[in-house]
Amino acid sequence: MANDLFSLSGNEVADYLTDSGEVDTEKVAADVAAVLAERPGLRRFTPGYDPSQGTGGRVPLQREPTLADLLKQAGTYQPY
């Protein structure tokens, strides 16, 4: 949250503005990095696993319809 930056860094909004009144992005980024180094629990959650693991780096292919699927759709499917 934005309030965390102000409360944890001890700065006010005016401390992040340049003389022309624009946001000093370098100062904001530096303070965000300092806060996250001090409190890593505030970081965005990243899963502890690789979601592409086990797929060979490829998106799984969709299953091709079979004759059984066609018969199920027609309502005449009898497995035996």
Side-chain angles (χ1 to χ4, degrees):
M1 297 303 223
N3 288 337
D4 292 336
L5 179 63
F6 298 125
S7 63
L8 296 175
S9 70
N11 291 330
E12 298 293 325
V13 174
D15 297 326
Y16 294 110
L17 299 178
T18 62
D19 293 335
S20 62
E22 295 184 21
V23 176
D24 185 355
T25 56
E26 292 176 3
K27 183 161 176 69
V28 172
D31 281 356
V32 167
V35 167
L36 291 178
E38 184 179 323
R39 299 204 179 181
L42 294 177
R43 289 185 191 276
R44 180 185 304 197
F45 176 74
T46 54
Y49 63 91
D50 181 5
S52 67
Q53 187 173 8
T55 63
R58 298 180 303 251
V59 177
L61 299 176
Q62 290 186 345
R63 188 173 78 79
E64 292 289 326
T66 63
L67 180 59
D69 294 330
L70 180 65
L71 294 175
K72 282 181 191 177
Q73 188 176 17
T76 59
Y77 179 69
Q78 296 178 354
Y80 297 104

